[in-house]
Amino acid sequence: MTTAGPQDAVPPLHLPRRTRLLLVCAYLLLVVAVVADLVSGPGTTLSPVLAVAPVLAGATTRRARVVLVTGAVAVLAAGLLELSNRGLPGSVHVSALVTVLAATLASAGSVVLVSAREHELFQVRTVAEAAQRALLRPPPERLGPLRVAVRYVAAAAEARIGGDLYEVAEGPHGIRILLGDVQGHGLPAVETAADVLGVFREAARTEPELARVAERLDSALAGRPVNERFVTAVLLGVDGTGGAARLVNCGHPHPLLRRAGRVDELEPPQHAPPLGLLGLLGGHYRAGGFEPRTGDLLLLYTDGVSEARNAAGRFFPLEERLAGLSAGNPEDVLDELLAEVRTWVGDVGLADDAALLALRWDR
């Protein structure tokens, strides 16, 4: 078995267009400096500027040998320039060669260090992707009368997993769906999400009442030692024929139902606290119901979508955009929504992770 080295296990280097343009300008200036040295006569030299060559090479590669070869060429070029400037003191020639050589070695060392760090980051991201696949399993595209689609977008460009969670389970009590958002970020939020999903996968198949599933999740969170985290969540239950649906909202943004081009919020029969906080307020979770129709589309989402802001600080108009979409398939709906969200936030970017789950009733 062969083992890939750090450079082989790092994704290719992609430079932004503006960065590439700046580097090209730097190379052109370097060429201009060499030409100016040749035409300026034996009394002056610009050979120390060749030390820039290995530095520029280090900015465009993750292979130290490329930098070393570039540095060797720069040392050779500096030597040739010194032959045409014999009138200068020997100390000037020696300092130019030492400068180019030192820049070459420093740039090569920097490339080796950066490659090693990127290799470590690549390994961490690979593990995170595997953890996400194990934690957030892709749901089936079709469950009975339902077509299902899920999208997850991390706020940080390098992130692969966070505190948003979802799960779709089918069992003796019908189809059970969970979408939630853990309070906080980082590994503690991921641990909480894993606990919630583990309990849900078991309770969704054993508890006949959807409200009892929510209470099981709440008890599991409340019983965690030294735990101050809570989870906002929506639980959906659909019978095997798709003729009736139940919703339990645990302090989460209201699901949106699109029917015949109109979008409405599905408000719960009573406002309930997030999972993990029910014991502080007392009471029980209650399930509300609605009668789905063929062609209905239900959108569950986290606040990373509804609270996405543009440069002017305005929230993304989720209901308006959902009503205006031409797409009917859940996959296309989510892709179009995310494209509009990215356009809306622009360079500002998402402030929080975003999870979306769309269902359409097909019979």
Side-chain angles (χ1 to χ4, degrees), residues 139-143 145-152 166-168 175 177-179 236 255-258 295-302 318 322 325 327-337 355-362:
E141 294 182 3
R142 183 175 289 276
L143 280 173
L146 297 179
R147 290 193 62 174
V148 185
V150 173
R151 298 291 185 270
Y152 185 98
Y166 58 82
E167 181 60 291
V168 179
I175 301 167
I177 295 172
L178 167 70
L179 184 134
L236 172 69
L256 299 177
L257 178 66
R258 190 176 79 172
D296 282 357
L297 185 136
L298 184 68
L299 178 67
L300 312 180
Y301 59 93
T302 60
L318 180 57
L322 179 61
L325 292 181
N329 293 332
E331 300 88 352
D332 296 335
V333 167
L334 296 188
D335 289 339
E336 288 190 22
L337 271 179
L356 302 100
L357 190 152
L359 311 165
R360 193 182 74 177
W361 275 259
D362 289 341

Side-chain angles (χ1 to χ4, degrees), residues 138-262:
E141 294 182 3
R142 183 175 289 276
L143 280 173
L146 297 179
R147 290 193 62 174
V148 185
V150 173
R151 298 291 185 270
Y152 185 98
V153 180
E158 299 301 326
R160 288 294 183 273
I161 193 168
D164 288 1
L165 56 97
Y166 58 82
E167 181 60 291
V168 179
E170 188 174 20
H173 305 294
I175 301 167
R176 300 282 174 79
I177 295 172
L178 167 70
L179 184 134
D181 185 0
V182 180
Q183 172 254 342
H185 301 278
L187 287 178
V190 176
E191 292 174 359
T192 302
D195 289 346
V196 170
L197 290 171
V199 175
F200 174 79
R201 287 163 183 160
E202 189 273 332
R205 291 173 171 81
T206 58
E207 293 289 348
E209 297 296 329
L210 189 64
R212 276 293 302 151
V213 177
E215 290 174 4
R216 286 273 301 275
L217 297 176
D218 176 83
S219 297
L221 281 176
R224 289 184 53 170
V226 196
N227 177 52
E228 298 180 354
R229 295 186 180 275
F230 59 84
V231 179
T232 66
V234 172
L235 289 83
L236 172 69
V238 182
D239 64 24
T241 65
R246 307 285 286 172
L247 275 170
V248 176
N249 193 321
C250 309
H252 199 77
H254 300 155
L256 299 177
L257 178 66
R258 190 176 79 172
R259 174 179 292 171
R262 177 178 173 179

Side-chain angles (χ1 to χ4, degrees), residues 64-142:
R65 71 179 67 177
V66 175
V67 178
L68 293 174
V69 170
T70 303
V73 173
V75 170
L76 178 62
L80 294 176
L81 290 177
E82 290 171 5
L83 291 177
S84 63
N85 294 289
R86 296 179 180 273
L88 294 174
S91 59
V92 174
H93 299 313
V94 172
S95 63
L97 290 174
V98 170
T99 300
V100 176
L101 183 59
T104 300
L105 297 177
S107 298
S110 176
V111 167
V112 170
L113 178 61
V114 170
S115 297
R117 295 288 176 84
E118 289 187 351
H119 174 60
E120 293 176 0
L121 176 61
F122 180 75
Q123 289 182 317
V124 170
R125 291 176 60 186
T126 301
V127 172
E129 289 172 351
Q132 184 185 44
R133 286 193 295 268
L135 186 62
L136 302 178
R137 304 168 184 170
E141 294 182 3
R142 183 175 289 276

Side-chain angles (χ1 to χ4, degrees), residues 255-275:
L256 299 177
L257 178 66
R258 190 176 79 172
R259 174 179 292 171
R262 177 178 173 179
V263 174
D264 294 300
E265 287 188 345
L266 295 182
E267 296 191 14
Q270 68 177 29
H271 291 280
L275 300 172

